[in-house]
């Protein structure tokens, strides 16, 4: 059937026709729960049994801050294929795909509405004791088994071809790696930080490092990335982590995915300036966030290296010193990409609620300035980073200096 | 029509049916001139007018030193598409493709039989005064315009997809980057250099650097490479250079193509030990070869950088310092890949006539030892290389030490 956006009722009819999901005569309710900017998301439930599914349909355009531009429906294929690929390696950490319809750009998948978006959870000050272990495993397994280390050479190349994703990559290329560092019309920042932003636009060493990271994003086909792994693409409960929405999936540098997680934890860290007024509680929660950053990297690396030792398919994998040199570059990439992702969330088109939900403009500006400082340091000092505490030390030291300056100002 | 290997007569009939090549009633001669290991190559000529074409048909197997293994016919598609892509940028430096037939894995193209293979020309001691300028332009233009610097992001990604080439890449992965550095059954070296080869198999720092270069080959999708740019893939006359046989084409690191040219000039340099007995003439020809190495790099880089300044499509291309850092990495890659390509030609499956045509086993072993030394130094010292003379100085210094050791032995 040719593409058309479904109504709530049509979504029900569609799901009823699929084998293996609901009984023929089932009574189903349907609610469109998406934000309507990119996709329709139908929550379809059989009240009698409690069984439910999600129907996600891509819209042929994107709407961001009032603007609307056409956007490929092929992203629905990318998303469903990425979910299925990831499901092979970490079935408990992604929604199960029940059905994909190429014509309608529509995926029927597991309902995860007992989870909440992690960004929301962090803004509320919740803690997720299993998150680092789970996201570390997600990263290690999905990235290792799709890389040249863990996949057969033919399989890897077939995956590269499947996940060529020009339109969504272009969004990242522009919005993460280019627009925020010049006076681009897409930028959207707090007028109170204009001075700091303009300093970034003039910072030549910084712009050079970001341009190098952009070239890495463009060329380094290391593994199948999620491609947009911020805390709004992660569903959590206290026990469970589910990674959703991989429509930006493509073959890129591994550090980009890890960096996205790190960046969004740090964005919340910066946001604590306005989110939490009690200084003691703020410090405590910030320490929780930094410990989580360390744990995410440490979990990732210990599992990734274990896979490398036990399951590498690449014949050269066991050459002495290779994994160490590989992992060493990964953490530096992670810091660099995290830095870009922090800067773009403050300066560029799409902000984050961790900062944007701070009502007072001055307070928000303070939090944003802190984020900008941390982002820049991560980029400029990445070549000296060897361990996860080198990353969190940068965050701590920048914060200390920042607080001292504020106190003496 | 379903695939079948054509006879000489069938090749004539096939060509006669194509519009725009020959008159309907033309009398054509046909000679199969390939080596029969990978492809049939028919030279088809109309004696009356002197007009001629080449018909190249891929065979569904490869035969190397007696062994035969199946090999994808898709390489004919890759080759014809690579030739057509390159033709857009350097029409005078590649054969023109007149016709491609996917079913028959067959390409009809410009006849270049007034040229000879450059490897043969170098073995005969010829000089090619325009070669460096021409191959430098070939490299600069084909690599720049297919890279993220010179191609639109969508165009580059479409090309990446077109040139996914798993089977032929696997040959390179095994024969250039893996087998020669361990006791693999494919290896095929002069028994007199067994000691030197075994030292390489035990050289951990060397094997680590080669493994890193292999990962670069596997992951760094920088530009559409020729993929097998040795002097047997280059046709020359005194005035003209034509690059042929890009069946290994894929998206990889730019330095791999430049390194292939450099490596094969150096292999001939090492071969001079046995090819040229007159010491004065040998020194003179070696200097010609090293000057050519320098000129190839210098021509490449000056044209590549000029394109970068004038025709870059990538928005970040003009960030201060980027092209310098890019080019600096390129020459180090070039040296590293050249080193691997030298080692594999001495140790691995496919040797080169520059060495293999030396009749005396002892003399050949000397030349091979020199090549092994140079190859290793290029790999191990590549991070200190900044200019083309740093590469040729390594060659000169290794040779001087080598000759001194021989004199005192």
């Amino acid at each position: 059937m040719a593409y058309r956006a479904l109504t709530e009722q049509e979504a029900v009819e569609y799901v009823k026709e699929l084998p293996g999901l609901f009984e023929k005569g089932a009574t189903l309710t349907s609610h469109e729960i998406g934000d309507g900017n990119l996709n329709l998301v139908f929550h379809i439930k059989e009240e009698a049994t409690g069984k439910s599914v999600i129907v996600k349909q891509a819209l042929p355009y994107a709407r961001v801050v009032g603007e609307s531009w056409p956007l490929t429906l092929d992203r629905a294929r990318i998303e469903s294929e990425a979910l299925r690929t990831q499901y092979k390696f970490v079935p408990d950490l992604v929604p199960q795909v029940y059905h994909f319809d190429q014509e309608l750009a529509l995926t029927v998948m597991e309902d995860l509405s007992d989870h909440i978006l992690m960004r929301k959870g962090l803004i509320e000050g919740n803690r997720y004791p299993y998150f680092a272990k789970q996201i570390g495993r997600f990263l290690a397994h999905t990235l290792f088994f799709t890389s040249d280390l863990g996949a057969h050479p033919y399989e890897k190349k077939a995956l590269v071809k499947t996940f060529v994703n020009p339109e969504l990559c272009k969004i990242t290329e522009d919005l993460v790696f280019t627009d925020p560092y010049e006076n681009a019309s897409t930028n959207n920042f707090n007028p109170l930080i204009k001075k700091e932003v303009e300093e970034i636009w003039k910072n030549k060493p910084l712009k050079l490092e970001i341009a190098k990271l952009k070239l890495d994003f463009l060329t380094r086909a290391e593994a199948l990335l999620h491609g947009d792994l911020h805390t709004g693409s992660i569903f959590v409960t206290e026990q469970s982590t589910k990674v959703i929405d991989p429509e930006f999936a493509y073959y890129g540098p591994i550090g980009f995915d890890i960096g996205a997680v790190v960046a969004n934890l740090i964005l919340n860290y910066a946001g604590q300036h306005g989110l939490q007024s009690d200084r003691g509680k703020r410090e405590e929660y910030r320490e929780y966030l930094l410990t989580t950053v360390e744990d995410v990297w440490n979990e990732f690396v210990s599992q990734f290296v274990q896979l490398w030792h036990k399951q590498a398919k690449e014949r050269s994998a066991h050459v002495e010193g290779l994994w160490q040199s590989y992992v060493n570059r990964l953490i530096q990439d992670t810091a660099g990409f995290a830095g870009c992702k922090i800067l773009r969330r403050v300066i560029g088109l799409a902000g984050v609620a961790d900062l944007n939900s701070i009502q007072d403009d001055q307070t928000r500006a303070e939090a944003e300035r802190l984020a900008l400082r941390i982002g820049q340091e991560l980029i400029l000092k990445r070549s000296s980073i060897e361990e996860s505490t080198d990353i969190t030390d940068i965050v701590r030291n920048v914060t200390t200096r920042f607080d001292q300056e504020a106190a003496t100002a």
Side-chain angles (χ1 to χ4, degrees), chain A:
Chain A
M1 128 171 57
Y3 179 84
R4 66 167 200 286
L6 298 189
T7 64
E8 288 182 342
Q9 192 47 42
E10 284 169 334
V12 165
E13 297 307 322
Y14 186 90
V15 163
K16 275 190 179 169
E17 294 300 315
L18 296 176
L21 288 179
F22 297 99
E23 299 294 323
K24 266 282 183 227
T27 306
L28 304 180
T29 60
S30 175
H31 295 285
E32 206 282 306
I33 57 170
D35 57 12
N37 282 334
L38 280 162
N39 306 290
L40 297 172
V41 181
F42 301 98
H43 182 249
I44 293 177
K45 190 169 179 181
E46 183 179 32
E47 298 292 343
T49 60
K51 264 174 74 173
S52 58
V53 297
I54 291 292
V55 175
K56 180 171 176 180
Q57 184 178 32
L59 291 167
Y61 53 80
R63 256 202 310 255
V64 189
V65 276
E67 302 230 20
S68 175
W69 66 73
L71 191 58
T72 176
L73 291 174
D74 189 49
R75 68 189 197 277
R77 176 191 65 79
I78 296 269
E79 175 171 343
S80 70
E81 297 207 35
L83 285 173
R84 282 173 163 160
T85 304
Q86 293 160 348
Y87 189 83
K88 279 194 250 170
F89 309 121
V90 287
D92 58 323
L93 301 179
V94 294
Q96 187 175 0
V97 170
Y98 302 129
H99 176 76
F100 173 64
D101 186 319
Q102 173 109 37
E103 290 284 311
L104 288 178
L106 173 157
T107 306
V108 184
M109 66 180 116
E110 190 178 352
D111 176 22
L112 300 170
S113 41
D114 54 332
H115 290 62
I116 65 164
L117 288 179
M118 186 173 186
R119 188 180 307 286
K120 185 161 179 287
L122 294 180
I123 291 171
E124 288 170 1
N126 300 334
R127 297 182 188 215
Y128 299 97
Y130 302 101
F131 169 72
K133 230 184 175 54
Q134 289 164 340
I135 202 76
R137 180 159 54 86
F138 173 85
L139 291 164
H141 284 249
T142 63
L143 297 170
F144 178 83
F145 284 112
T146 59
S147 77
D148 290 285
L149 280 318
H152 183 279
Y154 292 176
E155 187 193 350
K156 188 242 176 169
K157 276 136 188 133
L159 286 170
V160 167
K161 204 166 163 176
T162 300
F163 290 100
V164 168
N165 194 359
E167 287 196 37
L168 278 81
C169 281
K170 181 77 163 58
I171 295 176
T172 305
E173 292 157 21
D174 290 341
L175 297 188
V176 177
F177 292 107
T178 320
D179 290 358
Y181 319 108
E182 55 188 56
N183 190 3
S185 62
T186 58
N187 290 334
N188 180 28
F189 53 86
N190 185 342
L192 293 174
I193 61 165
K194 186 150 189 273
K195 186 173 135 286
E196 287 80 1
V197 170
E198 285 176 346
E199 275 165 15
I200 286 174
W201 293 346
K202 285 181 287 192
N203 187 334
K204 289 177 181 178
L206 179 73
K207 291 178 75 163
L208 175 58
E209 293 310 313
I210 293 169
K212 289 186 200 166
L213 287 161
K214 183 177 187 185
L215 288 182
D216 285 343
F217 180 85
L218 287 165
T219 58
R220 292 219 333 250
E222 291 177 355
L224 178 61
L225 306 191
H226 178 282
D228 193 29
L229 196 50
H230 58 84
T231 44
S233 295
I234 302 172
F235 259 149
V236 285
T237 67
E238 205 176 316
Q239 276 79 38
S240 164
T241 300
K242 302 274 187 183
V243 176
I244 60 169
D245 291 353
E247 46 195 359
F248 282 80
Y250 90 111
Y251 260 76
I254 287 177
F256 188 77
D257 265 7
I258 314 170
V261 177
V262 169
N264 281 273
L265 291 167
I266 294 174
L267 284 162
N268 187 272
Y269 172 101
Q272 291 301 316
H273 187 78
L275 294 171
Q276 179 52 264
S277 54
D278 180 307
R279 195 168 181 106
K281 284 188 184 159
R282 182 200 302 167
E283 295 304 309
E284 217 179 279
Y285 197 70
R286 279 184 164 174
E287 270 313 303
Y288 158 70
L289 291 167
L290 294 190
T291 307
T292 305
V293 167
E294 293 164 9
D295 291 349
V296 168
W297 170 263
N298 295 342
E299 278 298 330
F300 160 75
V301 86
S302 90
Q303 299 199 37
F304 189 83
V305 170
Q306 204 174 329
L307 292 172
W308 186 307
H309 290 326
K310 295 193 176 158
Q311 304 208 44
K313 289 205 171 124
E314 165 53 43
R315 287 172 59 201
S316 299
H318 303 298
V319 164
E320 213 171 296
L322 189 64
W323 73 261
Q324 293 92 329
S325 112
Y326 192 95
V327 159
N328 196 51
R329 195 179 45 69
L330 277 194
I331 196 166
Q332 297 177 0
D333 291 352
T334 296
F337 289 125
C340 296
K341 294 202 142 232
I342 292 169
L343 297 186
R344 79 92 159 209
R345 290 296 192 179
V346 178
I347 306 171
L349 182 63
V352 288
D354 314 63
L355 295 168
N356 291 349
S357 65
I358 302 171
Q359 293 300 317
D360 179 64
D361 288 350
Q362 287 289 354
T363 311
R364 193 171 71 254
E366 286 300 305
E368 289 165 339
R369 284 184 194 113
L370 175 61
L372 290 183
R373 291 262 202 110
I374 295 169
Q376 292 177 80
E377 291 255 320
L378 288 174
I379 294 166
L380 289 169
K381 296 198 170 157
R382 71 188 192 285
S383 64
S384 66
I385 289 173
E386 292 179 358
E387 298 177 48
S388 62
T389 48
D390 295 333
I391 293 179
T392 53
D393 282 349
I394 285 176
V395 178
R396 286 190 187 91
N397 293 337
V398 170
T399 308
T400 305
R401 269 182 281 137
F402 189 83
D403 288 347
Q404 282 166 351
E405 287 170 28
T408 60

